[in-house]
Amino acid sequence: MKRFSIFSLMLLLSALLAGCMEEPKLHIIPQPAEMKASSGHFEVTAQTPLVVESGSRNPAERLVEELLPYWGVAMPIAEQGQGILLRVDESIGHKEGYKLEVGRKGILLTGGSDAGLYYGLQSLRQLIIAHNGKIPCGEIADQPHFAYRGAHLDVCRHFFTVEEVKRYIDILAAHKLNRFHWHLTDDQGWRIEIKAFPELTEKGAMRKQTVIGHCHDPKGYDGIPHGGYYTQEEIRDVVEYAAARYITIIPEIEMPGHAQAALHALPQLGCREQQVEVWGMWGVTPEVMCAGKESTYDFLEQVLTEVVELFPGELIHIGGDECPKDRWKECPHCQGRMRELGLENESQLQGYLVARIEKFLNGYGRHIIGWDDILEGGVTPTATVMSWQGSKGGIHAAKQGNNAIMAPMEYCYFDFYQTKSREGEGLGIGGWVSFDKVYGWDPYEGLNTEERKHIIGMQCNLWSEYITTADHLYQMLLPRLAALCEVQWAYDRRDPATVRERMETQRRFYEANNWPYAPYYFEGRL
């Protein structure tokens, strides 16, 4: 009996010692390309200096700012000394790549550019919170798979303040996204100040009321005015804020459909030139911009002239989706323009509008993105197509040589419910997109090796018909954004076997940053 007890004790001791000797786990979202832990650790405290050996101070300043709520004090930034050394070295091989080396006496972070340093610091930030500052020794080498890693936000159906948008950008940056698609105009509100047309925000930024319930089963209207817009000064502030986090903002100015707020402010833009209200309903209205009148193109060019001055990025989104052609079919201006151009149908008329606007923006050194609806009227080889109606639009665009961004609703519409049962989720627009569904998505499906080169990236879309508060917004984004960012950044190294364990660490990261998140995935609900 005594022998058995001693033997059992020895087995238990061996197990405990083996557990102590296991290499610590490095849980990072998105999954790095290469990662190796070793014995020992380096302790990072609020007093550990960030030593900028080369590159700008910006990545270090951002980490100090992001960890301030965690530490309670600002970490020091120095130009020499020991601690966390930051340097830029193009030999990393990828501008957004980095190498993180943790030794017992310090940390060396090398980035292919300042952006690479920033992404490396985001990984380090996760490790600091996960390990209470005691960072396991080891090495991480990492770089993204896709060049375009985006997220969209609709501020037209429900308006969000500058501070709420900035917090949204903070969340994107922590997940290593580099594009923010800002949907600024629609039927339900015009949200960007245009000095040439002050009526757009004076009249078009506020709707009288909002529909209650789903648009296909309305319960009336709430009778509450809703609106808001961003001044050009505020736009510049947000653009600068995003750029400091290596995120380029892509503004969307809808045309020729989804424009009823603009038509309310400037009735002459429509075919009938009649007064319409800023729409309080969801869905698709028949009221669209007239594609036959030259004054419509003058308006669009004046608006876009101001837009390109506010947004320095290469891409401008022109919408182009869900444009009914009923008004065009009965409009003498549109029919006359079609005869003049020898066009066979109204879809080709929209193709003419898109091509003309593209040429105008090309004159400013910019390129257009349009929703995949623009394929119906034909597009130039230089237009980028954003595929939302399933993957077929992106596949079609890639096969004909256009660059495409994948955002199919069945995987990327984060306004959809997060569980099949919808229990406890409140009112949503419909559909179902779970964390696991996003994580298992293959954006290359149906494409050969050559065609895959035209899929430059992907994004999630967050439409705000039923998202009325910032907390709800962030809960719709998280944790599904973590699944998407692994597809974006780590497409070829996703690990379903470890993702749930890693997401428990990520959950603590969200809580440390005070970011609201949905509980369904962590509860094991589909």
Side-chain angles (χ1 to χ4, degrees):
M1 192 70 171
K2 187 180 291 185
R3 288 180 182 177
F4 179 77
S5 298
I6 292 172
F7 181 68
S8 299
L9 184 62
M10 290 176 66
L11 284 176
L12 178 61
L13 185 59
S14 295
L16 289 172
L17 287 172
C20 291
M21 294 174 67
E22 284 183 3
E23 290 185 353
K25 295 180 180 179
L26 303 178
H27 289 164
I28 294 173
I29 299 286
Q31 180 81 355
E34 299 175 23
M35 189 162 47
K36 181 177 68 175
S38 57
S39 61
H41 70 269
F42 176 75
E43 185 169 4
V44 177
T45 70
Q47 287 72 46
T48 304
L50 290 157
V51 182
V52 182
E53 289 194 337
S54 60
S56 76
R57 287 170 58 95
N58 181 66
E61 290 170 351
R62 297 288 72 75
L63 183 69
V64 170
E65 180 181 291
E66 290 159 354
L67 284 175
L68 185 58
Y70 180 76
W71 294 125
V73 296
M75 295 175 70
I77 299 177
E79 293 182 359
Q80 57 185 3
Q82 284 189 323
I84 303 170
L85 276 59
L86 310 180
R87 65 170 64 135
V88 170
D89 187 339
E90 293 181 2
S91 68
I92 287 291
H94 193 293
K95 287 187 176 182
E96 293 184 309
Y98 66 90
K99 184 175 183 181
L100 182 65
E101 301 170 84
V102 182
R104 295 173 185 265
K105 295 185 179 181
I107 295 174
L108 172 61
L109 174 61
T110 309
S113 67
D114 284 347
L117 283 180
Y118 181 73
Y119 296 132
L121 288 174
Q122 291 308 306
S123 294
L124 180 60
R125 177 184 172 195
Q126 290 186 40
L127 292 172
I128 288 170
I129 292 173
H131 297 275
N132 296 316
K134 295 181 179 180
I135 314 301
C137 292
E139 295 183 5
I140 296 172
D142 200 9
Q143 65 181 48
H145 182 86
F146 285 101
Y148 182 108
R149 306 181 302 281
H152 154 287
L153 176 60
D154 164 32
V155 296
C156 300
R157 279 49 177 263
H158 283 95
F159 181 73
F160 296 97
T161 66
V162 166
E163 290 308 311
E164 290 165 345
V165 172
K166 285 182 176 180
R167 195 180 189 195
Y168 193 84
I169 290 170
D170 289 340
I171 295 171
L172 305 189
H175 290 78
K176 300 185 174 77
L177 275 68
N178 61 5
R179 298 291 189 277
F180 171 43
H181 174 181
W182 204 359
H183 185 81
L184 290 166
T185 72
D186 215 299
D187 299 310
Q188 296 81 10
W190 185 283
R191 306 292 182 219
I192 176 173
E193 178 190 22
I194 300 297
K195 294 186 182 298
F197 301 100
E199 307 96 318
L200 290 169
T201 45
E202 290 172 358
K203 298 179 180 179
M206 183 70 67
R207 61 175 179 265
K208 292 180 179 179
Q209 55 189 357
T210 302
V211 67
I212 299 172
H214 282 107
C215 57
H216 61 266
D217 185 25
K219 308 297 183 185
Y221 289 87
D222 62 10
I224 303 171
H226 179 85
Y229 70 92
Y230 309 103
T231 66
Q232 293 199 359
E233 182 179 356
E234 288 173 327
I235 293 280
R236 290 189 181 94
D237 177 43
V238 175
V239 168
E240 183 179 348
Y241 187 90
R245 288 147 184 83
Y246 304 94
I247 291 176
T248 300
I249 297 184
I250 298 170
E252 181 177 355
I253 308 298
E254 279 273 17
M255 63 184 79
H258 283 293
Q260 190 158 316
L263 297 176
H264 169 71
L266 300 166
Q268 64 270 27
L269 292 174
C271 294
R272 296 180 172 184
E273 301 190 7
Q274 65 181 15
Q275 186 67 52
V276 295
E277 295 294 333
V278 179
W279 216 26
M281 178 67 81
W282 317 132
V284 179
T285 170
E287 305 305 332
V288 301
M289 295 180 184
C290 179
K293 291 185 292 192
E294 193 63 24
S295 56
T296 300
Y297 299 92
D298 292 339
F299 165 78
L300 291 172
E301 289 179 2
Q302 288 186 69
V303 167
L304 291 172
T305 296
E306 295 191 32
V307 168
V308 297
E309 291 173 354
L310 293 169
F311 296 93
E314 179 187 1
L315 296 171
I316 305 291
H317 204 302
I318 63 164
D321 60 311
E322 298 180 319
C323 179
K325 310 298 192 295
D326 299 343
R327 298 289 181 259
W328 292 1
K329 290 178 180 178
E330 61 189 29
C331 173
H333 300 289
C334 291
Q335 294 303 310
R337 178 78 66 166
M338 287 172 61
R339 288 192 296 272
E340 174 192 334
L341 298 171
L343 304 179
E344 296 179 2
N345 55 53
E346 286 74 20
S347 291
Q348 290 181 356
L349 180 59
Q350 181 171 344
Y352 164 76
L353 182 147
V354 169
R356 180 165 170 177
I357 293 302
E358 181 182 18
K359 183 177 180 181
F360 172 78
L361 286 171
N362 288 163
Y364 284 88
R366 309 303 177 85
H367 296 280
I368 67 163
I369 299 178
W371 298 108
D372 56 31
D373 309 58
I374 66 174
L375 290 166
E376 297 171 9
V379 294
T380 69
T382 52
T384 299
V385 175
M386 186 167 280
S387 188
W388 73 276
Q389 300 177 91
S391 299
K392 62 182 185 296
I395 291 172
H396 176 73
K399 286 182 180 296
Q400 69 180 27
N402 287 84
N403 283 341
I405 297 162
M406 289 297 198
M409 67 171 72
E410 63 264 42
Y411 298 106
C412 297
Y413 269 40
F414 284 10
D415 52 325
F416 283 13
Y417 290 100
Q418 302 186 55
T419 69
K420 270 187 175 181
S421 70
R422 305 181 180 182
E423 183 180 347
E425 293 198 54
L427 184 65
I429 199 166
W432 166 64
V433 175
S434 69
F435 180 101
D436 290 330
K437 194 174 184 180
V438 178
Y439 196 80
W441 170 45
D442 183 1
Y444 285 140
E445 187 176 2
L447 295 169
N448 63 35
T449 303
E450 189 61 30
E451 292 161 349
R452 288 183 176 199
K453 295 176 182 178
H454 293 290
I455 306 300
I456 62 174
M458 64 213 58
Q459 71 176 39
C460 61
N461 294 335
L462 251 174
W463 304 99
S464 64
E465 286 93 339
Y466 302 98
I467 302 174
T468 61
T469 68
D471 279 0
H472 187 194
L473 174 69
Y474 307 135
Q475 288 165 0
M476 297 300 278
L477 186 64
L478 300 175
R480 290 185 289 189
L481 185 64
L484 180 73
C485 83
E486 287 235 337
V487 184
Q488 295 172 328
W489 182 279
Y491 166 81
D492 53 352
R493 53 185 183 271
R494 284 172 286 175
D495 187 1
T498 65
V499 67
R500 186 165 288 276
E501 184 180 0
R502 289 187 291 121
M503 282 304 298
E504 285 299 329
T505 303
Q506 188 76 350
R507 182 183 194 175
R508 297 197 298 274
F509 180 72
Y510 294 159
E511 291 169 352
N513 285 287
N514 197 29
W515 292 339
Y517 61 87
Y520 316 115
Y521 171 76
F522 301 106
E523 294 171 349
R525 293 174 57 191
L526 287 177

